[in-house]
Amino acid sequence: MSTRKIIAVVGATGAQGGGLVRAILADPERQFAARAITRKTDSEKARALAAAGVAHAVWSTLEDTRLAFPLDDPRLKTLKGKYKVPHFDAKGESDAIFAAEAAPTSYMMAAFYWENFIYFGQGPRQGADGKLVLALPLGGEKLPGIAAEDIGRCAYGIFLRGAAVAGQRFGIAGDVLSGPEYAAAFSRHLGVPVSFYDMPFDDY
């Protein structure tokens, strides 16, 4: 029987979970074994997992934006009566559940997925003059970004550090680029000029 520790991966077929499983399997030292979590909670394997106990959890979370923008703050719209940015806020408020359960948890916060440029239409578009323009509402600031595959590798790196890093928060990014730097990268890879337009937030 294997003595390797097990990393149970929730969402093992998704972008982050899949990247973590591949990172576990790519480790030549095979320090951990991967176990995918099932939605069939009444299955024998799920019951066995529930009884195994957790030595270290890595929770992929995001900031709760309501800490900076209270619900009555008009700078950001309030959605569903309780969120400013639902995707961020719901994850951020879940941090308290891990803390309340006293689970030995490390909190990992991933930057903007570079795949959003491909799969969510956020990449360069052709303007009225036929030239490519990358339009993002950055307000002159830089945008941290990361490849989804690298998120799994980062999670694996946290697991390798062990429960000693429980309670710590890890912000992860592959690079931090300005709008013009993103446009220049697209220009290099596409082989055509790409300009950057810092679009006003409301227009975006």
Side-chain angles (χ1 to χ4, degrees):
M1 185 173 169
S2 173
T3 59
R4 285 183 291 163
K5 294 178 180 177
I6 294 171
I7 297 178
V9 183
V10 178
T13 59
Q16 294 187 41
L20 174 55
V21 170
R22 287 186 289 277
I24 294 167
L25 298 176
D27 182 355
E29 296 182 23
R30 298 286 188 176
Q31 297 177 69
F32 291 91
R35 178 173 292 165
I37 301 296
T38 177
R39 291 174 189 249
K40 298 178 181 177
T41 56
D42 59 345
S43 71
E44 183 179 338
K45 289 182 179 179
R47 288 196 299 270
L49 180 63
V54 175
H56 184 202
V58 175
W59 164 234
S60 179
T61 188
L62 292 166
E63 295 90 347
D64 187 334
T65 63
R66 296 165 299 180
L67 299 176
F69 298 94
L71 292 180
D72 60 357
D73 190 324
R75 291 178 293 167
L76 280 181
K77 221 180 253 186
T78 297
L79 305 173
K80 300 184 179 181
K82 61 179 182 176
Y83 296 120
K84 287 296 187 180
V85 184
H87 178 62
F88 278 65
D89 300 344
K91 280 197 160 197
E93 72 184 10
S94 297
D95 294 358
I97 297 171
F98 286 91
E101 294 293 327
T105 304
S106 297
Y107 303 86
M108 183 180 71
M109 296 168 292
F112 172 85
Y113 285 19
W114 282 327
E115 285 80 0
N116 290 342
F117 288 127
I118 302 169
Y119 302 116
F120 291 96
Q122 293 179 297
R125 294 183 179 201
Q126 203 169 49
D129 60 0
K131 296 180 179 177
L132 289 177
V133 178
L134 177 65
L136 291 171
L138 300 186
E141 300 296 327
K142 293 191 172 189
L143 175 65
I146 192 167
E149 185 73 10
D150 289 339
I151 298 171
R153 293 185 182 119
C154 291
Y156 190 55
I158 296 170
F159 276 119
L160 289 173
R161 294 178 67 179
V165 296
Q168 293 185 29
R169 299 178 80 81
F170 297 87
I172 60 171
D175 209 341
V176 182
L177 302 174
S178 68
E181 288 171 328
Y182 274 109
F186 276 111
S187 294
R188 285 193 304 274
H189 292 284
L190 296 175
V192 294
V194 177
S195 63
F196 176 69
Y197 170 47
D198 203 336
M199 181 178 280
F201 182 78
D202 288 341
D203 292 350
Y204 189 79

